[in-house]
Amino acid sequence: MIYVLSKSFTSTIYDVFILVLIVFLTASIFMWIALPMVLFSIRNELKRLNQIIKDYTTKKDIGT
């Protein structure tokens, strides 16, 4: 009886561990896919803000 309970408890621990591992691996894959897109978006926004600041400091019309 104790052996059966021990075996089922160990199996449950391994199942939970595998599930957590799959979740973390899936999240890391999504992170590596999304990270370049986020960096590219930040880069474009910084370029846009840089252009707005240049237009403002040179007293050009900034489109307003």
Side-chain angles (χ1 to χ4, degrees), residues 2-34:
I2 294 175
Y3 174 75
V4 172
L5 288 174
S6 173
K7 192 73 171 165
S8 66
F9 185 68
T10 304
S11 178
T12 304
I13 290 175
Y14 287 138
D15 290 343
V16 170
F17 176 74
I18 289 172
L19 183 65
V20 168
L21 187 64
I22 289 172
V23 168
F24 279 125
L25 288 176
T26 305
S28 66
I29 288 171
F30 282 129
M31 180 197 68
W32 284 109
I33 291 171

Side-chain angles (χ1 to χ4, degrees), residues 20-54:
V20 168
L21 187 64
I22 289 172
V23 168
F24 279 125
L25 288 176
T26 305
S28 66
I29 288 171
F30 282 129
M31 180 197 68
W32 284 109
I33 291 171
L35 185 66
M37 292 188 287
V38 169
L39 292 177
F40 184 71
S41 175
I42 290 172
R43 181 174 156 251
N44 286 341
E45 284 298 314
L46 288 175
K47 283 183 178 179
R48 186 181 67 83
L49 288 173
N50 190 23
Q51 188 60 44
I52 290 172
I53 291 171
K54 282 182 183 177

Side-chain angles (χ1 to χ4, degrees), residues 49-63:
L49 288 173
N50 190 23
Q51 188 60 44
I52 290 172
I53 291 171
K54 282 182 183 177
D55 291 344
Y56 181 75
T57 56
T58 56
K59 304 293 185 203
K60 292 183 181 176
D61 183 26
I62 58 173

